[in-house]
Amino acid sequence: MTDAKDRKPKSDEARSGFSPPGGAAVDGEMSTTSEFAIPEGLAVHRTPGAEAETTSEFSLPEGMGVPQAPSAEPEGSAFTTPSTYSAKQAPTAFTPPSGIPVVSLTKDVPWQDRMRTMLRMPVAERPAPEPSQRSTDESGPAVPRVLDLTLRIGELLLAGGEGAEDVEAAMFAVCRSYGLDRCEPNVTFTLLAISYQPSLVDDPVTASRTVRRRGTDYTRLAAVYQLVDDLSDDETAVSLEEAYRRLAEIRRNRHPYPGWALTGASGLLAGAASVLVGGDLLVFVAAALGAMLGDRLAWLCAGRGLPEFYQFTVAAMPPAAIGVALTLVHADVNASAVITGGLFALLPGRALVAGVQDGLTGFYITASARLLEVLYFFVGIVAGVLLVLYFGVQLGARLNPDGALGISDQPVLLIGASMLLSLAFAVLLQQERSTVVWVTLNGGVAWVVYGAMHLAGEISPVASTAAAAGLVGLFGQLLSRYQFASALPYTTAAIGPLLPGSATYFGLLAIAQNEIDEGLVSLSKAVALAMAIAIGVNLGSEISRMFLRIGSAEKRRAAKRTRGF
């Protein structure tokens, strides 16, 4: 009975999946084998000289092996370098074993170039800033205050007419000077924004500011550049409170020239421009009186809160009215030169250069807004002049379109008039007195180049204007780098003699006399000359940045070496 119980089949739970079936003979101790094990009797031929470094549970027992072809090379693991790999021709799709090389920027170049280079890099590839020494707190300055200071500095630069790329470079320099390296400034025509992200896992801090008022004051612009230059200098310690104090002083500073000096400069500019287009002493006086009267009327409109469009329209009327009045009284005066000289004082050359520069550097939204602003100003000038010319033609005024083409054959007189025009333009732009001499000389050089190419060499006026403007941009950039300042004070006033005042006037006169085709052709020429000026200035600046390295830490002004830091 007991044997019957023993012969009773066991259940599946009582039988192991690895136990041998009944009736199978097992020699020695029972051991389990893997399905990856080599069958008994199969030998492995090892390659001479190869030794096994490590063994695993899947390794073959000693004496066993898999036959291989005699010419086959030994294979390594998945982490072994392939036999076809060459260090000299390594693929570039992966990060190199030594890591990505650190980008080092020389400190011999101005901070504008260094900041512009880093802005064009991805955030992950920018070199880390040096530890900031401008805060006594170990945690560093407060991020919102640094961003607020950055936006205030950017607002002054953008309101002063600086290009969008240069404004972003200045904002980035301020942030890096206080240890904020993961910053992304963004500049449009009326909006400034900046975003700072402490790390990849932290939320970004974003701040913005709107630019509502614009004013031309290059003295204030130079002071802001000096502040940013001091913040970027490692040898000059400027705390956050000191930076705020200096910024408040810059905002409170009065303009270097009073209102009567600006009105007189406007008259000198118009008179000098009338001499460039063939006027004499009487024409000089008439153009100066018309421009000064137009300037006072524009100030009156500004005090009443009228937009700039109407200010330009009103300012363009007095020079045209004086020219028409001299024609009606049959005075022996070149009325066309009087009107052309008055237009020179109103053409928005500064905004045009800034708009084209923004477009060439990739800031298309800001460039479109600036060029649209130039278009509105130009339309305002056209409306004011056309209104006066229309009534003058109806009253019987006979304006001679060829009267302003008789350029004087005295080159010394023309060069002197161009330098006087640049000097007056510099005063209108509220430049520092130390920069007025340089920009005056730069304007004289521009007219010498233009006169040598167009008047003496009979080269196209567009090509001559572009070459002269390129030289203005080159010299302006060199002077600004030597002074560690903005290039606008050295270039904007120097392009005054090149502005297309005569082409604009002839186009308006032809339209007033119902010669629409000739008028449009002349206005197209004026637009081509304006674009040549803007592109030439930008090209000269880019050439100086690419091929020339001016300035170093040892050549900074003595003021920085005597502050005791």
Side-chain angles (χ1 to χ4, degrees), residues 112-124:
Q112 295 97 319
D113 292 343
R114 289 187 283 116
M115 296 302 109
R116 187 182 294 107
T117 301
M118 281 188 285
L119 279 174
R120 295 174 180 178
M121 294 180 182
V123 179

Side-chain angles (χ1 to χ4, degrees), residues 17 175 320 490:
C175 288
Y490 300 98

Side-chain angles (χ1 to χ4, degrees), residues 54 60 107 142 344 450 551:
T54 58
L60 302 178
K107 295 183 179 180
F344 265 86
Y450 173 80

Side-chain angles (χ1 to χ4, degrees), residues 153-154 156-157 219-229 247 250:
I153 290 177
L156 288 179
L157 293 177
T219 300
R220 179 179 296 176
L221 188 70
V224 176
Y225 257 80
Q226 181 62 43
L227 175 59
V228 178
D229 189 27
L247 191 62
I250 293 172

Side-chain angles (χ1 to χ4, degrees), residues 196-253:
Y196 169 67
Q197 188 175 14
S199 64
L200 296 176
V201 297
D202 294 330
D203 295 332
V205 181
T206 304
S208 61
R209 195 174 185 88
T210 303
V211 179
R212 302 188 183 277
R213 296 185 61 184
R214 299 178 182 273
T216 304
D217 188 346
Y218 282 0
T219 300
R220 179 179 296 176
L221 188 70
V224 176
Y225 257 80
Q226 181 62 43
L227 175 59
V228 178
D229 189 27
D230 291 342
L231 291 175
S232 304
D233 186 13
D234 297 333
E235 300 178 359
T236 305
V238 181
S239 63
L240 193 61
E241 290 74 15
E242 176 69 13
Y244 265 107
R245 185 188 64 80
R246 290 180 56 179
L247 191 62
E249 290 180 355
I250 293 172
R251 286 180 174 274
R252 287 195 300 265
N253 283 344

Side-chain angles (χ1 to χ4, degrees), residues 19-46:
S19 59
V26 180
D27 296 333
E29 297 181 358
M30 182 175 61
S31 60
T32 60
T33 60
S34 170
E35 62 181 4
F36 300 101
I38 304 299
E40 185 178 358
L42 184 61
V44 178
H45 300 283
R46 297 181 180 274

Side-chain angles (χ1 to χ4, degrees), residues 128-431:
E130 298 179 0
S132 176
Q133 302 296 332
R134 295 183 171 89
S135 177
T136 57
D137 190 3
E138 296 181 356
S139 60
V143 173
R145 294 195 66 196
V146 174
L147 297 184
D148 179 70
L149 175 67
T150 303
L151 290 174
R152 291 177 183 272
I153 290 177
E155 178 188 10
L156 288 179
L157 293 177
L158 187 62
E162 191 62 84
E165 187 177 28
D166 294 329
V167 176
E168 284 195 358
M171 295 172 64
F172 191 68
V174 174
C175 288
R176 284 184 64 88
S177 64
Y178 290 103
L180 308 183
D181 59 326
R182 301 180 64 88
C183 289
E184 286 294 336
N186 187 17
V187 176
T188 58
F189 185 60
T190 57
L191 181 64
L192 296 170
I194 188 167
S195 177
Y196 169 67
Q197 188 175 14
S199 64
L200 296 176
V201 297
D202 294 330
D203 295 332
V205 181
T206 304
S208 61
R209 195 174 185 88
T210 303
V211 179
R212 302 188 183 277
R213 296 185 61 184
R214 299 178 182 273
T216 304
D217 188 346
Y218 282 0
T219 300
R220 179 179 296 176
L221 188 70
V224 176
Y225 257 80
Q226 181 62 43
L227 175 59
V228 178
D229 189 27
D230 291 342
L231 291 175
S232 304
D233 186 13
D234 297 333
E235 300 178 359
T236 305
V238 181
S239 63
L240 193 61
E241 290 74 15
E242 176 69 13
Y244 265 107
R245 185 188 64 80
R246 290 180 56 179
L247 191 62
E249 290 180 355
I250 293 172
R251 286 180 174 274
R252 287 195 300 265
N253 283 344
R254 298 178 62 87
H255 298 303
Y257 306 104
W260 63 266
L262 298 180
T263 302
S266 178
L268 288 178
L269 192 155
S274 65
V275 174
L276 289 179
V277 294
D280 52 9
L281 180 60
L282 185 57
V283 171
F284 181 95
V285 175
L289 289 177
M292 288 190 291
L293 181 58
D295 181 77
R296 287 292 89 191
L297 290 177
W299 277 100
L300 181 62
C301 294
R304 299 291 181 179
L306 291 178
E308 288 184 299
F309 176 84
Y310 301 105
Q311 297 176 26
F312 275 83
T313 302
V314 172
M317 289 182 178
I322 291 179
V324 171
L326 291 175
T327 304
L328 291 175
V329 298
H330 303 287
D332 188 13
V333 176
N334 193 342
S336 298
V338 175
I339 301 175
T340 302
L343 290 178
F344 265 86
L346 298 175
L347 293 179
R350 172 184 58 86
L352 175 66
V353 172
V356 175
Q357 179 182 357
D358 289 340
L360 295 176
T361 53
F363 293 84
Y364 300 113
I365 297 178
T366 307
S368 301
R370 288 185 188 272
L371 294 178
L372 186 61
E373 180 187 37
V374 171
L375 179 61
Y376 272 103
F377 292 163
F378 190 76
V379 171
I381 296 172
V382 168
V385 175
L386 273 181
L387 184 62
V388 176
L389 292 180
Y390 177 78
F391 282 106
V393 171
Q394 297 299 321
L395 293 176
R398 297 184 179 275
L399 298 172
N400 184 13
D402 298 329
L405 295 178
I407 298 178
S408 175
D409 56 354
Q410 301 179 8
V412 178
L413 178 63
L414 296 178
I415 295 174
S418 65
M419 296 178 65
L420 179 62
L421 192 153
S422 299
L423 188 148
F425 205 172
V427 174
L428 286 176
L429 295 175
Q430 300 281 1
Q431 293 189 196

Side-chain angles (χ1 to χ4, degrees), residues 445-531:
V445 171
W447 182 259
V448 168
V449 174
Y450 173 80
M453 295 182 64
H454 177 58
L455 301 179
E458 297 182 355
I459 301 176
S460 169
V462 177
S464 303
T465 302
L471 199 62
V472 167
L474 178 61
F475 286 169
Q477 194 65 232
L478 294 181
L479 290 172
S480 67
R481 290 187 174 202
Y482 180 75
Q483 299 291 336
F484 289 90
S486 171
L488 287 181
Y490 300 98
T491 57
T492 305
I495 65 174
L498 305 176
L499 292 176
S502 59
T504 303
Y505 165 69
F506 291 148
L508 299 180
L509 180 59
I511 293 176
Q513 294 177 346
N514 293 326
E515 298 176 358
I516 306 299
D517 294 338
E518 295 181 3
L520 293 179
V521 170
S522 185
L523 290 179
S524 301
K525 180 182 176 181
V527 172
L529 291 173
M531 294 297 294

